[in-house]
Amino acid sequence: MIRAALLLLLASAASMPALAAPATAPTRTLQGVDLFGLEVASDPQISPDGSRIAYVRRSNDIMTDKARSTIWMIDTATGQQAPLVAGPGSHSSPRWSRDGRRLAYVSAIDKAGPQLMVRWIATGESAQVATLPTAPNALAWSPDGSRIAYVATVPDEGMKLGKAPAKPEGANWAEGLEIIDAVTYRQDGGGYVKPGFDHIFVVPADGGSPRQLSFGAVHDNGPLSWTADGRTILFSAIRHPDWELDAANSDIHALDVATGRVTALTTRNGPDNEPSVSPDGKWVAYTGYDDKLLGYQNSRLYLMPVAGGTPRVLTASLDRSVDSPRWARDGRSIYVQYDEKGGTRVARVSLDGRITTVAEGLVPTALDRPYAGGQYSVSDKGSVAFTGGTPLRPADIMLTSGGASKRLTRLNEELLATKALGQVRPLPVKSSDGRAVDAWLVTPPDFDPARKYPLILEIHGGPFAAYGPVFSTDNQLYASAGYAVVYVNPRGSTSYGEEFANLIHHNYPGEGDYNDLMAAVDAAIATGSIDPNNLFVTGGSGGGVLTSWIVGKTDRFKAAATQKPVIDWASFVLTADNTAFFAKYWFGKMPWEDPQGYWARSPLSLVGNVKTPTLVVVGSEDYRTPVSESEQYYSALKLRGVPTALVKVPGASHGGLAARPSQSAAKASAILAWFDRYRAK
């Protein structure tokens, strides 16, 4: 295994002469090199009978500096696990057939690209069911197991304008013109979008030619859900003519598998997503809301007849956003996932709206920052498999059957059991207006309450997101370097209800979230273990916005590191990858309609106040908060004579800033080196 190879490599290095020993020799605290040894469990799929769980196990290859995904199988009775699909390449998206005898999955092995595979569990044999030109996603078995539906991109020629002269034979000419006419023409993590549209296909489960079912110059989205008779597939899409400019107005549609006819089942103004048909085929559950053009709105669980009709909201009493609906096999309730005060739960919602929590402690599969989240699936008998963890352990596979949860994997125990980690504890905070705000304090591994430690304020992005008591490599690396870390869910954070999130509606960043963050710093200082003269601040995306805003409002921090920030909201909304959304929901007006409103909320407007040495960090292929945002802030700081440096992470997107272990470790190290420059000794 990669971890064993890494330990062998480090052991060999340790036996060399002292002058040749690397700087990354093993230590008792978490170091950057340890990121290669971490593994994460994701996408747990429990079999219909509950006897097995297939899951995706992500590990890092130190030689290629990339994550590799394999599929493993767990026996739920014994807890024993074994690799199921672990050959060359990367393997993901395991999905059980209704009878539990086969497992569909996606394998990317060579230059042919990701392909759809099926494994017969009894024989252990796998077969590629078709050769696909583009990657399949949103896999969904038909009820009788004869077919698999999926979503894939259908290439399109795109706009043509004129033509180049005829090229002489053997001539070496420049590439042709690139003509863009789409509103969203680039996507973070995907780069510039090639012309094409996502549509629904179906293929025989035992192999054959795929058949395209949906068409048109629109995108059809998963997840997909078959009706009980196998004649119809339900999906979500924005299919009206102005779909490019109406990014939050999707509807549930029914696709006739035989004829390809598409019928809209919902028509309200607002997003309707994630359709899930009941086992008896009579009802469809889905998530969505009536759009009020707020920055944040709870996504609720709805129920309507499978042929359409008046919907009924089932989670009206729950002031939280729900997602991932899955029917109980008896058809009497629906499972959903939601965040609650920084944590993530699975609940069962009965058809009369009663809500019962069935699992807690879900965690996401990202490693660098402590966001709330997670994944789950449910067996016919109600056993719930989910990704669970703690502030000291990344995601493992957990199982609950109505009682206490059982941990089935211990992917990082060998590595992390040998490490002294920073301890994480809740930190009570009262903001300036008396409002309670959740926060957590991470203390260094050698924490001594009698000592005074430098403090890093670490701010989450979103801004409509939430942190929680979750493992974080960034925070652990900061703690290993001798810093305490405080992280906070200021107003605007999700998992506390619509009112709390919308305290920043058309007012972000502002005084409220700023005061919440300062109150958390003050609460940390009040513990008696923080040096008030050694304060530092960092955050990414929305946290980068707030970091840049903070140093324009106060000089109390010795140094700052703003990561992938928005600096000028006007330039951001016109260059980000979701430009049709941000101006409409976060401002209510276009930049040319309210230039002063945009400027008043832009950190660039405060750059004249900045004295704090501020590092600027961004991925070189960030299309969410484009590189130009970071570059203009860096230039402004340089022109003002404020100590700064610009750190670009080559090849990294906004969401993938910490995707490669070496870059994740190097980024944290660069921030620590910047802080150490200004840290009072």
Side-chain angles (χ1 to χ4, degrees):
M1 291 177 61
I2 295 170
R3 181 185 299 164
L6 175 60
L7 294 175
L8 179 61
L9 173 66
L10 293 175
S12 299
S15 65
M16 295 178 181
L19 292 177
T24 53
T27 69
R28 59 181 291 274
T29 58
L30 193 73
Q31 302 296 307
V33 71
D34 294 319
L35 271 57
F36 287 100
L38 293 173
E39 295 184 294
V40 173
S42 67
D43 199 7
Q45 297 295 315
I46 193 166
S47 61
D49 66 2
S51 65
R52 293 180 288 252
I53 299 170
Y55 77 96
V56 176
R57 182 169 174 172
R58 192 175 74 241
S59 56
N60 295 311
D61 187 338
I62 197 170
M63 301 307 294
T64 63
D65 192 23
K66 291 182 179 179
R68 176 173 174 263
S69 296
T70 55
I71 299 173
W72 287 63
M73 187 80 80
I74 305 172
D75 184 307
T76 58
T78 65
Q80 293 183 340
Q81 67 168 328
L84 189 72
V85 185
S90 190
H91 315 280
S92 61
S93 302
R95 294 296 181 270
W96 290 99
S97 62
R98 175 88 281 281
D99 60 12
R101 296 178 179 178
R102 290 164 294 169
L103 191 76
Y105 60 96
V106 176
S107 280
I109 299 175
D110 51 33
K111 295 181 180 179
Q115 298 295 320
L116 178 59
M117 311 290 290
V118 170
R119 187 177 186 90
W120 280 256
I121 300 301
T123 65
E125 296 293 330
S126 291
Q128 182 176 322
V129 299
T131 299
L132 307 180
T134 57
N137 62 81
L139 310 184
W141 286 86
S142 64
D144 65 2
S146 65
R147 294 164 291 176
I148 301 171
Y150 62 91
V151 175
T153 300
V154 179
D156 184 76
E157 286 190 352
M159 176 180 281
K160 299 293 183 182
L161 289 175
K163 60 180 181 179
K167 184 173 67 172
E169 184 177 353
N172 184 18
W173 283 18
E175 292 186 14
L177 303 182
E178 184 178 4
I179 299 172
I180 296 170
D181 69 338
V183 173
T184 299
Y185 58 91
R186 57 186 183 180
Q187 294 177 337
D188 189 65
Y192 279 76
V193 178
K194 294 181 179 179
F197 299 95
D198 293 345
H199 287 302
I200 300 169
F201 292 75
V202 67
V203 64
D206 55 1
S209 298
R211 178 165 62 96
Q212 185 174 342
L213 299 182
S214 68
F215 298 85
V218 295
H219 293 290
D220 298 322
N221 306 310
L224 309 177
S225 185
W226 293 76
T227 55
D229 59 11
R231 296 178 179 178
T232 306
I233 297 172
L234 270 61
F235 66 99
S236 175
I238 308 172
R239 285 188 143 246
H240 43 266
D242 58 349
W243 63 271
E244 285 193 281
L245 296 173
D246 209 3
N249 195 14
S250 56
D251 289 305
I252 305 300
H253 293 79
L255 171 64
D256 187 296
V257 176
T259 67
R261 183 169 60 91
V262 174
T263 304
L265 301 182
T266 63
T267 57
R268 69 168 166 188
N269 182 31
D272 294 322
N273 298 309
E274 302 183 293
S276 181
V277 178
S278 62
D280 63 8
K282 295 180 179 180
W283 303 95
V284 56
Y286 62 97
T287 59
Y289 55 83
D290 293 303
D291 194 358
K292 300 176 183 176
L293 299 182
L294 297 172
Y296 177 81
Q297 290 182 244
N298 282 334
S299 185
R300 304 189 185 280
L301 179 66
Y302 289 83
L303 185 70
M304 71 177 174
V306 74
T310 303
R312 179 161 56 94
V313 63
L314 298 183
T315 56
S317 64
L318 180 66
D319 186 18
R320 300 291 185 268
S321 193
V322 303
D323 58 45
S324 306
R326 292 174 172 85
W327 280 89
R329 188 59 190 164
D330 62 11
R332 297 178 181 178
S333 59
I334 303 156
Y335 293 86
V336 295
Q337 178 176 310
Y338 70 95
D339 293 343
E340 174 64 30
K341 297 184 177 180
T344 303
R345 299 176 175 180
V346 175
R348 186 175 61 249
V349 183
S350 64
L351 301 191
D352 62 4
R354 287 181 293 113
I355 300 171
T356 305
T357 300
V358 296
E360 298 184 73
L362 277 72
V363 300
T365 58
L367 285 170
D368 57 325
R369 300 168 73 191
Y371 283 105
Q375 300 164 325
Y376 82 100
S377 63
V378 185
S379 74
D380 288 352
K381 295 182 179 179
S383 296
V384 179
F386 61 95
T387 55
T390 72
L392 303 182
R393 294 293 184 271
D396 275 304
I397 300 300
M398 309 285 288
L399 179 68
T400 182
S401 301
S405 298
K406 179 168 61 173
R407 182 179 172 190
L408 297 180
T409 64
R410 299 178 182 274
L411 300 186
N412 297 287
E413 204 60 33
E414 182 180 348
L415 173 63
L416 295 182
T418 66
K419 298 292 181 179
L421 298 174
Q423 298 300 302
V424 182
R425 62 181 176 88
L427 180 69
V429 175
K430 286 284 188 182
S431 192
S432 59
D433 60 358
R435 186 180 294 269
V437 175
D438 277 354
W440 292 265
L441 184 66
V442 187
T443 52
D446 60 352
F447 178 69
D448 178 354
R451 292 178 54 192
K452 300 282 189 181
Y453 293 89
L455 178 74
I456 296 174
L457 169 62
E458 208 283 327
I459 311 170
H460 75 62
F464 300 111
Y467 273 164
V470 174
F471 183 83
S472 161
T473 53
D474 275 5
N475 288 348
Q476 289 294 338
L477 290 172
Y478 298 155
S480 292
Y483 290 82
V485 182
V486 63
Y487 61 96
V488 195
N489 284 338
R491 63 195 68 197
S493 299
T494 56
S495 76
Y496 301 90
E498 278 192 356
E499 186 267 344
F500 187 82
N502 281 312
L503 289 172
I504 64 167
H505 177 60
H506 292 182
N507 187 32
Y508 163 77
E511 288 304 307
D513 43 11
Y514 171 82
N515 289 337
D516 293 347
L517 293 167
M518 294 305 101
V521 171
D522 293 337
I525 294 171
T527 65
S529 298
I530 302 301
D531 181 354
N533 297 313
N534 254 335
L535 305 178
F536 303 85
V537 58
T538 188
S541 191
V545 173
L546 284 165
T547 297
S548 305
W549 187 257
I550 284 169
V551 296
K553 302 283 283 185
T554 180
D555 300 333
R556 73 184 301 192
F557 294 94
K558 302 284 286 187
T562 180
Q563 304 177 55
K564 48 189 180 183
V566 173
I567 297 303
D568 184 337
W569 285 110
S571 60
F572 164 76
V573 301
L574 298 175
T575 56
D577 64 348
N578 197 4
T579 187
F581 177 85
F582 294 117
K584 183 176 181 179
Y585 289 90
W586 288 10
F587 286 86
K589 294 181 180 180
M590 294 298 170
W592 53 89
E593 296 172 330
D594 185 21
Q596 283 305 116
Y598 275 75
W599 181 248
R601 290 163 55 186
S602 295
L604 191 59
S605 70
L606 301 178
V607 74
N609 301 334
V610 178
K611 299 176 183 177
T612 306
T614 302
L615 186 71
V616 185
V617 182
V618 69
S620 68
E621 296 182 12
D622 189 328
Y623 296 130
R624 179 64 46 77
T625 56
V627 179
S628 56
E629 293 295 309
S630 292
E631 289 174 335
Q632 60 182 306
Y633 196 55
Y634 165 75
S635 295
L637 293 172
K638 275 292 187 184
L639 290 172
R640 287 210 59 250
V642 178
T644 186
L646 177 63
V647 174
K648 284 190 176 181
V649 182
S653 65
H654 186 85
L657 191 65
R660 305 192 74 167
S662 71
Q663 292 180 336
S664 181
K667 177 187 73 76
S669 180
I671 291 171
L672 286 168
W674 184 257
F675 290 171
D676 283 345
R677 281 189 174 200
Y678 302 99
R679 176 176 168 179
K681 304 301 182 183

Short mmCIF file of all heavy atoms in Angstrom, two decimals, residues 531-575:
data_model
loop_
_atom_site.label_atom_id
_atom_site.label_comp_id
_atom_site.label_asym_id
_atom_site.label_seq_id
_atom_site.Cartn_x
_atom_site.Cartn_y
_atom_site.Cartn_z
N ASP A 531 -1.92 34.73 23.07
CA ASP A 531 -1.16 35.97 23.12
C ASP A 531 -1.88 37.02 22.28
O ASP A 531 -1.94 36.91 21.05
CB ASP A 531 0.24 35.73 22.56
CG ASP A 531 1.12 36.97 22.61
OD1 ASP A 531 0.62 38.05 22.97
OD2 ASP A 531 2.32 36.85 22.26
N PRO A 532 -2.45 38.05 22.88
CA PRO A 532 -3.22 39.04 22.11
C PRO A 532 -2.36 39.87 21.17
O PRO A 532 -2.88 40.55 20.29
CB PRO A 532 -3.84 39.91 23.20
CG PRO A 532 -2.96 39.75 24.39
CD PRO A 532 -2.45 38.34 24.32
N ASN A 533 -1.05 39.79 21.33
CA ASN A 533 -0.13 40.51 20.44
C ASN A 533 0.41 39.63 19.32
O ASN A 533 1.31 40.04 18.59
CB ASN A 533 1.03 41.09 21.25
CG ASN A 533 0.56 42.11 22.28
OD1 ASN A 533 -0.24 42.99 21.95
ND2 ASN A 533 1.02 41.98 23.51
N ASN A 534 -0.14 38.44 19.19
CA ASN A 534 0.31 37.49 18.16
C ASN A 534 -0.90 36.89 17.45
O ASN A 534 -1.16 35.68 17.54
CB ASN A 534 1.15 36.37 18.79
CG ASN A 534 2.62 36.53 18.49
OD1 ASN A 534 3.00 37.14 17.49
ND2 ASN A 534 3.46 35.96 19.34
N LEU A 535 -1.66 37.74 16.76
CA LEU A 535 -2.88 37.31 16.09
C LEU A 535 -2.67 37.32 14.57
O LEU A 535 -2.05 38.24 14.02
CB LEU A 535 -4.04 38.24 16.44
CG LEU A 535 -4.34 38.42 17.93
CD1 LEU A 535 -5.49 39.42 18.11
CD2 LEU A 535 -4.67 37.09 18.59
N PHE A 536 -3.22 36.31 13.91
CA PHE A 536 -3.09 36.15 12.46
C PHE A 536 -4.45 35.75 11.89
O PHE A 536 -5.30 35.23 12.61
CB PHE A 536 -2.02 35.10 12.13
CG PHE A 536 -0.68 35.42 12.73
CD1 PHE A 536 -0.38 35.04 14.04
CD2 PHE A 536 0.27 36.12 12.00
CE1 PHE A 536 0.85 35.36 14.61
CE2 PHE A 536 1.50 36.44 12.57
CZ PHE A 536 1.79 36.06 13.88
N VAL A 537 -4.64 35.98 10.59
CA VAL A 537 -5.94 35.69 9.99
C VAL A 537 -5.75 35.14 8.58
O VAL A 537 -4.90 35.60 7.82
CB VAL A 537 -6.85 36.95 9.98
CG1 VAL A 537 -6.21 38.10 9.23
CG2 VAL A 537 -8.22 36.61 9.40
N THR A 538 -6.57 34.14 8.24
CA THR A 538 -6.58 33.57 6.89
C THR A 538 -7.95 32.99 6.61
O THR A 538 -8.76 32.79 7.52
CB THR A 538 -5.48 32.51 6.71
OG1 THR A 538 -5.41 32.13 5.33
CG2 THR A 538 -5.77 31.26 7.55
N GLY A 539 -8.20 32.72 5.36
CA GLY A 539 -9.45 32.10 4.94
C GLY A 539 -9.47 32.02 3.43
O GLY A 539 -8.73 32.74 2.74
N GLY A 540 -10.31 31.12 2.90
CA GLY A 540 -10.37 30.92 1.47
C GLY A 540 -11.73 31.21 0.89
O GLY A 540 -12.76 30.98 1.52
N SER A 541 -11.74 31.75 -0.33
CA SER A 541 -12.97 32.07 -1.05
C SER A 541 -13.75 33.13 -0.26
O SER A 541 -13.25 34.24 -0.09
CB SER A 541 -13.80 30.80 -1.27
OG SER A 541 -14.86 31.04 -2.17
N GLY A 542 -14.94 32.80 0.25
CA GLY A 542 -15.64 33.77 1.10
C GLY A 542 -14.80 34.14 2.31
O GLY A 542 -14.87 35.27 2.81
N GLY A 543 -13.98 33.18 2.80
CA GLY A 543 -13.06 33.49 3.89
C GLY A 543 -11.95 34.41 3.45
O GLY A 543 -11.41 35.20 4.24
N GLY A 544 -11.58 34.32 2.16
CA GLY A 544 -10.61 35.25 1.61
C GLY A 544 -11.18 36.65 1.49
O GLY A 544 -10.49 37.65 1.72
N VAL A 545 -12.46 36.74 1.14
CA VAL A 545 -13.15 38.04 1.12
C VAL A 545 -13.09 38.68 2.49
O VAL A 545 -12.70 39.85 2.64
CB VAL A 545 -14.63 37.86 0.69
CG1 VAL A 545 -15.39 39.17 0.83
CG2 VAL A 545 -14.72 37.34 -0.74
N LEU A 546 -13.46 37.89 3.51
CA LEU A 546 -13.50 38.44 4.87
C LEU A 546 -12.10 38.74 5.40
O LEU A 546 -11.92 39.70 6.16
CB LEU A 546 -14.24 37.48 5.79
CG LEU A 546 -15.77 37.50 5.61
CD1 LEU A 546 -16.41 36.30 6.27
CD2 LEU A 546 -16.36 38.78 6.17
N THR A 547 -11.10 37.95 5.03
CA THR A 547 -9.73 38.26 5.44
C THR A 547 -9.31 39.62 4.89
O THR A 547 -8.76 40.47 5.61
CB THR A 547 -8.77 37.17 4.94
OG1 THR A 547 -9.11 35.92 5.55
CG2 THR A 547 -7.33 37.51 5.29
N SER A 548 -9.58 39.85 3.59
CA SER A 548 -9.22 41.13 2.98
C SER A 548 -10.03 42.28 3.56
O SER A 548 -9.54 43.41 3.68
CB SER A 548 -9.45 41.06 1.46
OG SER A 548 -8.74 39.97 0.90
N TRP A 549 -11.27 42.01 3.92
CA TRP A 549 -12.13 43.02 4.54
C TRP A 549 -11.61 43.36 5.94
O TRP A 549 -11.55 44.54 6.33
CB TRP A 549 -13.54 42.46 4.63
CG TRP A 549 -14.61 43.40 5.09
CD1 TRP A 549 -15.18 43.46 6.33
CD2 TRP A 549 -15.26 44.42 4.32
NE1 TRP A 549 -16.15 44.42 6.39
CE2 TRP A 549 -16.23 45.03 5.16
CE3 TRP A 549 -15.14 44.86 3.01
CZ2 TRP A 549 -17.05 46.07 4.72
CZ3 TRP A 549 -15.96 45.90 2.57
CH2 TRP A 549 -16.90 46.48 3.42
N ILE A 550 -11.20 42.34 6.69
CA ILE A 550 -10.74 42.53 8.07
C ILE A 550 -9.49 43.41 8.11
O ILE A 550 -9.40 44.34 8.93
CB ILE A 550 -10.48 41.16 8.73
CG1 ILE A 550 -11.83 40.51 9.11
CG2 ILE A 550 -9.58 41.29 9.96
CD1 ILE A 550 -11.70 39.06 9.51
N VAL A 551 -8.52 43.14 7.24
CA VAL A 551 -7.28 43.94 7.31
C VAL A 551 -7.51 45.36 6.82
O VAL A 551 -6.68 46.25 7.07
CB VAL A 551 -6.13 43.26 6.54
CG1 VAL A 551 -5.77 41.93 7.18
CG2 VAL A 551 -6.47 43.08 5.05
N GLY A 552 -8.64 45.59 6.14
CA GLY A 552 -9.01 46.96 5.79
C GLY A 552 -9.76 47.67 6.90
O GLY A 552 -9.96 48.89 6.83
N LYS A 553 -10.15 46.91 7.95
CA LYS A 553 -10.92 47.48 9.05
C LYS A 553 -10.13 47.59 10.36
O LYS A 553 -10.48 48.39 11.22
CB LYS A 553 -12.16 46.61 9.32
CG LYS A 553 -13.09 46.43 8.13
CD LYS A 553 -13.96 47.62 7.86
CE LYS A 553 -15.10 47.70 8.82
NZ LYS A 553 -16.03 48.80 8.49
N THR A 554 -9.09 46.76 10.52
CA THR A 554 -8.36 46.74 11.78
C THR A 554 -6.91 46.38 11.54
O THR A 554 -6.57 45.69 10.56
CB THR A 554 -8.98 45.71 12.75
OG1 THR A 554 -8.24 45.72 13.99
CG2 THR A 554 -8.96 44.31 12.20
N ASP A 555 -6.05 46.85 12.44
CA ASP A 555 -4.62 46.53 12.39
C ASP A 555 -4.23 45.55 13.50
O ASP A 555 -3.04 45.39 13.77
CB ASP A 555 -3.79 47.81 12.55
CG ASP A 555 -4.05 48.83 11.45
OD1 ASP A 555 -4.45 48.40 10.35
OD2 ASP A 555 -3.88 50.04 11.71
N ARG A 556 -5.21 44.87 14.11
CA ARG A 556 -4.89 44.05 15.27
C ARG A 556 -4.15 42.76 14.90
O ARG A 556 -3.57 42.11 15.79
CB ARG A 556 -6.16 43.72 16.06
CG ARG A 556 -7.08 42.72 15.42
CD ARG A 556 -8.37 42.51 16.20
NE ARG A 556 -8.15 42.04 17.55
CZ ARG A 556 -9.09 41.57 18.35
NH1 ARG A 556 -10.36 41.51 17.93
NH2 ARG A 556 -8.81 41.16 19.57
N PHE A 557 -4.15 42.37 13.63
CA PHE A 557 -3.49 41.13 13.22
C PHE A 557 -2.08 41.42 12.74
O PHE A 557 -1.84 42.39 12.00
CB PHE A 557 -4.30 40.42 12.14
CG PHE A 557 -5.64 39.94 12.63
CD1 PHE A 557 -6.77 40.73 12.47
CD2 PHE A 557 -5.76 38.72 13.29
CE1 PHE A 557 -8.00 40.30 12.94
CE2 PHE A 557 -6.99 38.29 13.76
CZ PHE A 557 -8.11 39.08 13.59
N LYS A 558 -1.15 40.58 13.17
CA LYS A 558 0.26 40.78 12.80
C LYS A 558 0.49 40.51 11.32
O LYS A 558 1.36 41.13 10.70
CB LYS A 558 1.15 39.85 13.63
CG LYS A 558 1.03 40.04 15.13
CD LYS A 558 1.76 41.27 15.61
CE LYS A 558 3.25 41.06 15.60
NZ LYS A 558 3.97 42.20 16.22
N ALA A 559 -0.25 39.56 10.74
CA ALA A 559 -0.12 39.24 9.32
C ALA A 559 -1.39 38.52 8.89
O ALA A 559 -2.15 37.99 9.71
CB ALA A 559 1.11 38.38 9.05
N ALA A 560 -1.60 38.49 7.57
CA ALA A 560 -2.80 37.87 7.00
C ALA A 560 -2.41 37.08 5.76
O ALA A 560 -1.38 37.35 5.12
CB ALA A 560 -3.84 38.93 6.66
N ALA A 561 -3.26 36.11 5.41
CA ALA A 561 -3.11 35.36 4.16
C ALA A 561 -4.50 35.21 3.56
O ALA A 561 -5.31 34.43 4.07
CB ALA A 561 -2.47 34.01 4.40
N THR A 562 -4.78 35.99 2.53
CA THR A 562 -6.08 35.90 1.88
C THR A 562 -5.99 34.90 0.73
O THR A 562 -5.16 35.04 -0.17
CB THR A 562 -6.58 37.27 1.40
OG1 THR A 562 -7.84 37.13 0.78
CG2 THR A 562 -5.60 37.95 0.45
N GLN A 563 -6.82 33.86 0.77
CA GLN A 563 -6.76 32.79 -0.21
C GLN A 563 -7.96 32.87 -1.15
O GLN A 563 -9.10 32.94 -0.71
CB GLN A 563 -6.75 31.44 0.49
CG GLN A 563 -5.63 31.26 1.51
CD GLN A 563 -5.72 29.93 2.22
OE1 GLN A 563 -5.75 28.87 1.60
NE2 GLN A 563 -5.76 29.97 3.55
N LYS A 564 -7.68 32.86 -2.45
CA LYS A 564 -8.68 32.89 -3.53
C LYS A 564 -9.84 33.84 -3.23
O LYS A 564 -11.00 33.45 -3.23
CB LYS A 564 -9.18 31.47 -3.84
CG LYS A 564 -9.60 30.62 -2.63
CD LYS A 564 -9.86 29.17 -3.03
CE LYS A 564 -10.28 28.35 -1.83
NZ LYS A 564 -10.50 26.92 -2.14
N PRO A 565 -9.54 35.12 -2.97
CA PRO A 565 -10.58 36.06 -2.55
C PRO A 565 -11.33 36.69 -3.72
O PRO A 565 -10.91 36.61 -4.88
CB PRO A 565 -9.76 37.14 -1.83
CG PRO A 565 -8.48 37.19 -2.61
CD PRO A 565 -8.20 35.75 -3.00
N VAL A 566 -12.45 37.32 -3.41
CA VAL A 566 -13.07 38.32 -4.28
C VAL A 566 -12.65 39.68 -3.74
O VAL A 566 -12.79 39.95 -2.54
CB VAL A 566 -14.61 38.21 -4.26
CG1 VAL A 566 -15.22 39.37 -5.05
CG2 VAL A 566 -15.07 36.88 -4.83
N ILE A 567 -12.14 40.53 -4.61
CA ILE A 567 -11.62 41.83 -4.21
C ILE A 567 -12.50 42.96 -4.71
O ILE A 567 -12.76 43.94 -4.03
CB ILE A 567 -10.17 42.01 -4.72
CG1 ILE A 567 -9.27 40.96 -4.07
CG2 ILE A 567 -9.66 43.40 -4.44
CD1 ILE A 567 -9.26 40.98 -2.56
N ASP A 568 -13.00 42.82 -5.93
CA ASP A 568 -13.89 43.81 -6.54
C ASP A 568 -15.13 43.07 -7.04
O ASP A 568 -15.05 42.30 -8.00
CB ASP A 568 -13.16 44.51 -7.70
CG ASP A 568 -13.99 45.63 -8.32
OD1 ASP A 568 -15.23 45.61 -8.18
OD2 ASP A 568 -13.39 46.52 -8.95
N TRP A 569 -16.26 43.29 -6.40
CA TRP A 569 -17.46 42.52 -6.73
C TRP A 569 -17.91 42.76 -8.16
O TRP A 569 -18.46 41.85 -8.81
CB TRP A 569 -18.59 42.86 -5.76
CG TRP A 569 -18.42 42.25 -4.41
CD1 TRP A 569 -18.12 42.88 -3.25
CD2 TRP A 569 -18.55 40.86 -4.08
NE1 TRP A 569 -18.05 42.00 -2.20
CE2 TRP A 569 -18.31 40.75 -2.69
CE3 TRP A 569 -18.84 39.71 -4.81
CZ2 TRP A 569 -18.35 39.52 -2.02
CZ3 TRP A 569 -18.88 38.48 -4.15
CH2 TRP A 569 -18.63 38.40 -2.77
N ALA A 570 -17.71 43.94 -8.70
CA ALA A 570 -18.14 44.22 -10.07
C ALA A 570 -17.38 43.36 -11.07
O ALA A 570 -17.96 42.76 -11.98
CB ALA A 570 -17.97 45.71 -10.40
N SER A 571 -16.07 43.28 -10.91
CA SER A 571 -15.27 42.46 -11.83
C SER A 571 -15.55 40.98 -11.59
O SER A 571 -15.55 40.17 -12.52
CB SER A 571 -13.78 42.77 -11.69
OG SER A 571 -13.32 42.51 -10.37
N PHE A 572 -15.82 40.61 -10.35
CA PHE A 572 -16.09 39.21 -10.03
C PHE A 572 -17.35 38.70 -10.72
O PHE A 572 -17.33 37.64 -11.36
CB PHE A 572 -16.22 39.04 -8.51
CG PHE A 572 -16.87 37.74 -8.10
CD1 PHE A 572 -16.18 36.54 -8.16
CD2 PHE A 572 -18.19 37.72 -7.66
CE1 PHE A 572 -16.78 35.35 -7.79
CE2 PHE A 572 -18.80 36.54 -7.29
CZ PHE A 572 -18.09 35.34 -7.35
N VAL A 573 -18.47 39.41 -10.58
CA VAL A 573 -19.72 38.87 -11.11
C VAL A 573 -19.70 38.77 -12.63
O VAL A 573 -20.49 38.02 -13.22
CB VAL A 573 -20.95 39.68 -10.65
CG1 VAL A 573 -21.06 39.70 -9.14
CG2 VAL A 573 -20.95 41.09 -11.22
N LEU A 574 -18.79 39.49 -13.29
CA LEU A 574 -18.71 39.44 -14.74
C LEU A 574 -17.64 38.48 -15.24
O LEU A 574 -17.52 38.28 -16.46
CB LEU A 574 -18.47 40.84 -15.30
CG LEU A 574 -19.58 41.86 -15.00
CD1 LEU A 574 -19.19 43.24 -15.49
CD2 LEU A 574 -20.89 41.41 -15.63
N THR A 575 -16.87 37.87 -14.34
CA THR A 575 -15.82 36.94 -14.78
C THR A 575 -15.90 35.58 -14.09
O THR A 575 -15.20 34.66 -14.50
CB THR A 575 -14.41 37.53 -14.53
OG1 THR A 575 -14.28 37.88 -13.15
CG2 THR A 575 -14.17 38.77 -15.38
#
